[in-house]
Amino acid sequence: MKGKLAVAPLREWNVPLREKFFVAGPCSVESKEQILQTALHLSAHDVTLLRGGIWKPRTHPGSFEGIGAKGLPWLKNAGVVAGLPVTTETATAHHVEQCLKAGIDVLWVGARTTTNPFAVQEIAEAVRGANIPIMIKNPMNADLELWIGAIERISNAGITKIIAVHRGFSSYGQSAYRNPPMWRIPIELRRRMPHLPIICDPSHICGSRKRIPTVAQEALDFLFDGLMIEVHCAPDTALSDASQQLTPEQYGKLLSGLRFPSGADPTLLSPALQVLRKEIDAIDDDLIALLARRMECVEQIGIWKRDRNVSLFQLERWEHVLRDRVESSVQRHLSPNFVRDLFEHIHEEALSIQERIPPVPLGGGHEQERSPDFANGGREEGLDELVSQNSEPRG
Ligand code: PEP
Ligand code: MN
């Protein structure tokens, strides 16, 4: 099934499609007036579909959880008045039934729902025979197979108008993004399913207005088929995702500031080359982040060695690392010499990081007792594992 979905091209969707597929509208439908005003202002700009969340999946109870089904006619009415088809998120079969009854033109499956195959299957059963277009956001976690699985479930229900929406992936700890984009995942989806349209949702990737133009441009540079942008007539008063929503005017400015690279222009680099270069940039970013994490482990081990007066250089361990990395390089068709050189550089840097750790101050209270394994050649057993686990590539 993979790569062979029956997917209708976007020009067969019967929506106002110009150059790219643009979904715009508020995070949530809040009132009849709010969605109407937003839609009317948006209609001055290039918009393919008017979005508005009716049922909102929120992290904490007590936040605004959407206006519910009574907002469906408000959304539909705003679309009719502004001359735009409308879309909302459905997470259950009951949502689907209510949307179909209300004449909602396109449905979308949200990131939290894509994470759950039971929920996606329930939606697939509810849309079977309905011939309604569906957009499928990536799951919260960075799991391409889960995203593809959701697309397959919807496709197996007979839906041919499908768009994948890349909205970034949740992460723990601090990041410049609300949901880091991890571009290599949608790029791999494009490689696996070349005919499936993919659009990008920079609003949920960024979480704030500031970086939306950069991420939107990156998506266009990756030759995505369009964008989904949260737009609200009064974003600062929005009941959900206030900090990431644009005014309709800002939306217009965003679109006019974007470049639309096209594969047809012979003066440009070949699109395939651009995509690969972007992928390389993203991979290199990841490599640097992994190296930084590896060096943090190295430093922790250095402190452990210093506190026990263990030599920084451990021949046995180094021989093991080198042998192991060279062996895995062969399995992955990398040149062993290249990998050996690379790890020699890494090891050299690791030793110099450990050398720079200041000595224990006199009477500084660090533990000085030898660990039980010190007698056994000074090997750092528990920490050894930590290093080898953390220096393995993650996928
Ligand atoms: C949304 O689009 O408002 C939304 C909740 O998106 P996601 O499922 O990507 O978090
Ligand atoms: Mn939102």
Side-chain angles (χ1 to χ4, degrees):
M1 176 59 145
K2 280 174 202 165
K4 293 192 194 110
L5 297 189
V7 180
L10 289 176
R11 60 177 182 282
E12 289 175 17
W13 276 46
N14 196 24
V15 288
L17 178 65
R18 287 187 240 166
E19 195 168 11
K20 294 275 175 182
F21 196 101
F22 293 124
V23 185
C27 178
S28 303
V29 173
E30 297 166 5
S31 68
K32 189 171 182 185
E33 198 49 26
Q34 169 253 9
I35 187 66
L36 181 61
Q37 281 310 315
T38 307
L40 287 173
H41 283 100
L42 271 174
S43 62
H45 306 288
D46 187 358
V47 179
T48 316
L49 264 183
L50 175 68
R51 64 155 280 159
I54 293 287
W55 301 279
K56 300 303 298 180
R58 305 309 300 279
T59 303
H60 295 286
S63 322
F64 174 65
E65 289 182 330
I67 203 79
K70 73 170 182 222
L72 288 170
W74 303 345
L75 175 62
K76 183 67 189 172
N77 170 66
V80 170
V81 174
L84 292 169
V86 297
T87 182
T88 198
E89 173 176 350
T90 49
T92 66
H94 189 48
H95 292 164
V96 172
E97 284 153 24
Q98 292 172 94
C99 285
L100 294 177
K101 226 182 267 168
I104 301 302
D105 302 281
V106 175
L107 307 178
W108 92 73
V109 177
R112 288 155 194 80
T113 308
T114 307
T115 308
N116 178 357
F118 289 131
V120 177
Q121 193 58 42
E122 182 185 316
I123 292 170
E125 297 311 330
V127 295
R128 197 180 286 281
N131 191 26
I132 187 163
I134 305 198
M135 301 187 286
I136 303 166
K137 291 200 169 195
N138 64 255
M140 299 293 287
N141 49 326
D143 186 337
L144 176 61
E145 295 307 325
L146 205 49
W147 195 4
I148 290 178
I151 293 162
E152 288 170 342
R153 286 175 196 279
I154 298 297
S155 170
N156 288 349
I159 302 296
T160 56
K161 292 178 181 155
I162 299 177
I163 290 182
V165 184
H166 167 235
R167 48 79 76 201
F169 300 87
S170 66
S171 70
Y172 184 71
Q174 291 224 320
S175 159
Y177 300 99
R178 177 177 173 190
N179 293 290
M182 301 189 192
W183 293 105
R184 67 186 184 281
I185 296 177
I187 286 168
E188 177 61 9
L189 178 64
R190 163 73 25 110
R191 195 185 66 78
R192 301 259 294 265
M193 297 182 157
H195 305 299
L196 178 73
I198 306 180
I199 66 172
C200 178
D201 170 353
S203 307
H204 288 90
I205 289 176
C206 296
S208 70
R209 273 159 223 144
K210 212 169 124 234
R211 303 186 70 181
I212 289 178
T214 309
V215 173
Q217 187 60 61
E218 279 181 303
L220 296 177
D221 292 343
F222 281 127
L223 304 176
F224 276 49
D225 300 283
L227 301 170
M228 178 187 274
I229 307 279
E230 285 190 339
V231 181
H232 190 294
C233 53
D236 291 333
T237 65
L239 299 180
S240 58
D241 289 351
S243 53
Q244 71 193 30
Q245 302 203 58
L246 304 181
T247 62
E249 196 190 352
Q250 288 167 334
Y251 173 77
K253 279 200 185 124
L254 168 74
L255 290 199
S256 54
L258 291 173
R259 283 173 290 105
F260 293 86
S262 141
D265 183 345
T267 62
L268 291 174
L269 293 173
S270 108
L273 191 61
Q274 289 182 55
V275 169
L276 285 170
R277 283 187 173 166
K278 277 280 180 187
E279 185 176 2
I280 283 179
D281 291 347
I283 291 171
D284 288 353
D285 245 354
D286 288 352
L287 278 177
I288 287 168
L290 281 174
L291 279 173
R293 175 68 191 129
R294 193 188 195 282
M295 293 310 169
E296 278 168 26
C297 294
V298 158
E299 189 170 7
Q300 284 169 27
I301 291 172
I303 292 167
W304 187 95
K305 287 174 178 168
R306 176 201 63 186
D307 289 347
R308 289 162 181 78
N309 203 24
V310 173
S311 69
L312 298 185
F313 179 61
Q314 303 280 320
L315 180 61
E316 214 185 307
R317 164 73 184 160
W318 169 232
E319 280 176 344
H320 164 77
V321 168
L322 204 54
R323 207 173 35 247
D324 180 79
R325 306 316 183 250
V326 169
E327 271 171 21
S328 35
S329 72
V330 174
Q331 283 161 21
R332 291 175 188 270
H333 308 291
L334 287 167
S335 135
N337 282 344
F338 158 68
V339 171
R340 175 182 294 273
D341 284 355
L342 181 64
F343 275 89
E344 277 169 357
H345 279 298
I346 290 175
H347 186 238
E348 204 177 317
E349 172 68 3
L351 286 176
S352 81
I353 284 174
Q354 293 186 339
E355 261 159 16
R356 289 200 297 270
I357 295 171
V360 185
L362 275 179
H366 283 285
E367 51 168 330
Q368 287 289 329
E369 85 282 4
R370 302 282 197 251
S371 71
D373 54 288
F374 181 71
N376 182 24
R379 291 167 57 212
E380 327 102 314
E381 301 223 316
L383 291 176
D384 249 1
E385 272 170 33
L386 178 74
V387 168
S388 53
Q389 274 169 19
N390 278 300
S391 56
E392 258 153 33
R394 291 161 214 185

